[in-house]
Amino acid sequence: MPTWFDTVAAWPFAGPWFAAALIVAGVAGAAAAKRLRRRPGRQGRQREADAVHPLAHPLAHPPAHSAAQAPAPQHDALTGLFKRADFEAALEAAAWDTDHRAGPAVAVLYVAVDDLRSINDAFGQQVGDALLVRLGRRLAGLPGIAPVLSPRLVARVGGDEFALLLEADEPGAIAMATHVCTVAARPFVMAGAVPQGLQGLPGTGPTDSEREGPGGLPDAPLALTVSIGVACHPAHGAWSRLLGHAGAAMRHVRNCGGNGHAVYAPAMSVDLRDQALLLQDLRQAAARGDFKLLYQPKIDATSLQVTAAEALLRWEHPVRGLVPPSVFIPMAERHGLMGVIGEWVIDEACRQAALWREHGLRMRIAINVSGQQLRHDHFVAQLELAARRHRVPPQRLTCEITESVAMEDTAQTRAAFQRLRRGGFHVSIDDFGTGHSSLAVLRRLPAAELKVDRHFVIDLESSASARSIVEAVIGVARSLGMRVVAEGVETTGQRDILVKLGCDELQGFLFARPMSAAALLLWADGSAPEDTHGGGTPAFRPSLFRETKPAQTEG
């Protein structure tokens, strides 16, 4: 007569390792055995299996543990899927079966939704949560791509992150990861306050704040992309590190742009540890203000006179040396540090402007503003406070905001732009031409200038299309009453073309490289060495002492 373990193992949704997990899940052994023996054949067992979703069965540790040690399974309040602790328990049981019973290889897929924050910002967290529920259902109900390859367990392990447990080797796990990318990319049709089929599910009911949130439900279906990390046991290490390894692979995919999958490699863990250490150092630097600003002049295209300088943030690490902004700024944005760092930049730029004013050096200073700062309710107040404290006129400060952030057209973004306008600050749309601009949105923004991205400037001498794009940008700016700044100017040929097209200001190595505040002051006095600037003519130095005209903004 078969044992109850053999009976459970015969269930269509359970492999031997899953049955092993059930042994110590708190089910009374003898009573369970009697119930299982009384089941009237396979069809009866299938009806009972259909009555309880396979993901709702209790999980446990391998047979070496006692039943009393196995906690009851916990389900995620939003999606109804298992939580991380129960996923790890099932993973341990699966790995135990692989190691001690010659069971199949085990694979973990770590699935993260790409850029869910933009959906929450645009349509409210209620819509984002509903999409997570729908995606969780799709993952839990995957039919698989082969009779023996389908998820054995699905759990929600983070805010926008899921984990899938498979009986598969590396090729099978890769095939499933590709399948998951396809399934997740199918559009989600939205209807009513909550997507169809979700009414009444935990976490999907609207709150008062959500009813009053920004934006509304989208008219068109929403599509998601995901980043997936793959790790297998025993190929990629012990079971206790498998979920972490899959997570490292997922983050590698995200850092490469998302919408894909990657198999874990040891270098990813090394990079992950290094990133964790760098993040700790960055937190300490943000708390202490261990940064510095360099300044790159902006040049009037007609007179070749300096009219402004852009403040560029730099971090000199005590051990690593100069950390590139392309490394630490995205890290600060991901971990919510840009508010603190941005506040330091504002105060330091205003402080330096006040010191320059004491030496007769009057010009506009441009600071880069992140999306996190712009969305913060107190950003404009911080800017106004710093300007008053250092007695810097608001029109002497330019806030450079990237095109992608400016084009969000959310209530928060529009309100921030309006407050900047009322405060008299100069607003510039940075990296213009790299995103998806809407002329309707651009027309409503109280910006004073557009800044052409360097990628178009680089090709000006060799590409007719690049010249056409720059000419079109200048035409749009003129029609909206805006000035145009071109960055990345490195040759006299580029300078001549931009001047001919009617660009207002130029910035780049042709005129000057980023320099310290002290070096810029020496340069203005004519005391700097010849290699301080980038080889451009120094005839524009006197303009550093001339008054900058106020910014022109709409009423």
Side-chain angles (χ1 to χ4, degrees):
M1 179 179 293
T3 66
W4 76 274
F5 174 86
D6 296 327
T7 304
V8 174
W11 289 1
F13 55 77
W17 58 264
F18 195 85
L22 288 170
I23 293 176
V24 290
V27 180
K34 290 179 182 178
R35 286 196 297 272
L36 289 169
R37 291 192 188 103
R38 285 200 298 267
R39 290 183 178 173
R42 182 178 181 85
Q43 291 183 349
R45 291 198 303 271
Q46 183 61 52
R47 282 194 297 270
E48 291 197 21
D50 291 340
V52 179
H53 194 283
L55 300 184
H57 281 279
L59 301 172
H61 297 279
H65 295 256
S66 67
Q69 291 176 313
Q74 299 293 317
H75 298 276
D76 177 59
L78 177 65
T79 63
L81 300 175
F82 279 120
K83 293 184 177 181
R84 177 186 288 265
D86 295 308
F87 183 90
E88 291 176 342
L91 173 59
E92 182 182 4
W96 189 91
D97 190 58
T98 300
D99 296 338
H100 300 284
R101 300 192 178 195
V106 178
V108 170
L109 269 58
Y110 204 115
V111 182
V113 180
D114 295 328
D115 198 22
L116 184 65
R117 176 178 293 179
S118 65
I119 293 178
N120 288 337
D121 289 344
F123 306 113
Q125 188 171 345
Q126 175 192 0
V127 173
D129 286 349
L131 286 173
L132 289 175
V133 175
R134 284 283 285 275
L135 178 60
R137 282 186 167 184
R138 285 188 185 180
L139 297 178
L142 282 174
I145 55 177
V148 295
L149 183 57
S150 59
R152 295 298 186 180
L153 186 70
V154 180
R156 186 185 182 205
V157 294
D160 57 359
E161 299 171 351
F162 301 87
L164 279 65
L165 185 57
L166 310 174
E167 284 182 353
D169 55 10
E170 185 175 312
I174 293 174
M176 177 56 76
T178 304
H179 185 48
V180 170
C181 285
T182 302
V183 168
R186 292 203 311 262
F188 295 86
V189 179
M190 314 297 286
V194 180
Q196 288 180 334
L198 291 184
Q199 289 82 356
L201 285 179
T204 60
T207 65
D208 291 339
S209 61
E210 287 168 339
R211 290 190 184 97
E212 299 171 358
L217 288 175
D219 296 328
L222 290 175
L224 299 176
T225 62
V226 293
S227 299
I228 303 176
V230 178
C232 302
H233 175 78
H236 297 138
W239 75 267
S240 59
R241 306 185 71 176
L242 209 60
L243 190 60
H245 287 170
M250 178 276 293
R251 282 181 282 275
H252 174 78
V253 176
R254 269 191 168 175
N255 291 337
C256 293
N259 192 22
H261 59 79
V263 178
Y264 170 77
M268 295 176 182
S269 287
V270 173
D271 180 65
L272 190 61
R273 286 192 293 271
D274 184 68
Q275 291 290 304
L277 293 173
L278 186 63
L279 175 59
Q280 295 303 314
D281 294 341
L282 181 59
R283 291 187 188 278
Q284 294 178 11
R288 296 192 298 256
D290 288 344
F291 302 102
K292 65 181 180 181
L293 293 181
L294 298 183
Y295 299 88
Q296 186 175 31
K298 294 181 180 181
I299 312 301
D300 181 79
T302 304
S303 65
L304 293 184
Q305 295 178 330
V306 173
T307 56
E310 180 181 1
L312 301 171
L313 181 65
R314 296 293 184 264
W315 179 27
E316 188 80 34
H317 191 279
V319 176
R320 302 169 186 259
L322 189 65
V323 180
S326 59
V327 172
F328 77 85
I329 290 180
M331 178 181 288
E333 290 177 338
R334 286 196 303 269
H335 296 280
L337 297 175
M338 280 310 301
V340 176
I341 296 175
E343 188 173 358
W344 179 89
V345 170
I346 291 171
D347 191 73
E348 176 63 17
C350 289
R351 185 191 69 83
Q352 187 57 58
L355 289 177
W356 279 338
R357 186 182 64 245
E358 294 176 0
H359 290 82
L361 194 61
R362 298 181 299 273
M363 60 181 175
R364 182 180 294 127
I365 294 182
I367 59 173
N368 292 280
V369 178
S370 71
Q372 286 184 15
Q373 287 177 273
L374 192 67
R375 299 183 197 104
H376 197 287
D377 293 338
H378 304 299
F379 163 66
V380 179
Q382 291 173 350
L383 195 60
E384 291 173 333
L385 179 62
R388 285 196 303 269
R389 181 166 57 247
H390 297 288
R391 301 173 63 188
V392 177
Q395 63 268 23
R396 297 279 185 83
L397 295 176
T398 295
C399 294
E400 294 194 0
I401 301 166
T402 61
E403 178 190 26
S404 58
V405 174
M407 292 300 118
E408 286 179 356
D409 196 29
T410 63
Q412 284 180 308
T413 303
R414 291 194 299 271
F417 269 90
Q418 292 296 332
R419 288 196 295 269
L420 286 170
R421 183 190 69 174
R422 288 194 299 267
F425 297 99
H426 192 88
V427 179
S428 173
I429 308 299
D430 198 7
D431 298 335
F432 191 79
T434 59
H436 303 281
S437 292
S438 164
L439 293 180
V441 175
L442 186 62
R443 184 175 61 85
R444 292 195 298 268
L445 293 178
E449 69 180 34
L450 298 180
K451 195 170 184 181
V452 181
D453 186 72
R454 67 179 63 249
H455 292 95
F456 299 117
V457 174
I458 290 173
D459 297 329
L460 274 178
E461 296 176 271
S462 59
S463 170
S465 62
R467 289 194 295 273
S468 297
I469 290 173
V470 174
E471 187 174 11
V473 170
I474 293 174
V476 169
R478 289 289 177 266
S479 67
L480 297 175
M482 298 181 182
R483 293 170 57 81
V484 179
V485 180
E487 62 180 345
V489 182
E490 298 184 357
T491 69
T492 56
Q494 294 168 352
R495 178 199 63 192
D496 294 342
I497 293 173
L498 289 166
V499 170
K500 184 178 180 180
L501 290 175
C503 193
D504 296 296
E505 286 184 330
L506 308 174
Q507 180 181 353
F509 288 174
L510 175 65
F511 307 105
R513 294 179 180 273
M515 63 187 75
S516 68
L520 194 150
L521 184 59
L522 289 173
W523 190 41
D525 290 336
S527 306
E530 287 299 319
D531 61 354
T532 300
H533 52 83
T537 173
F540 51 80
R541 288 176 186 164
S543 69
L544 286 165
F545 297 92
R546 289 164 50 165
E547 189 71 37
T548 302
K549 291 195 300 183
Q552 300 295 320
T553 60
E554 292 184 16

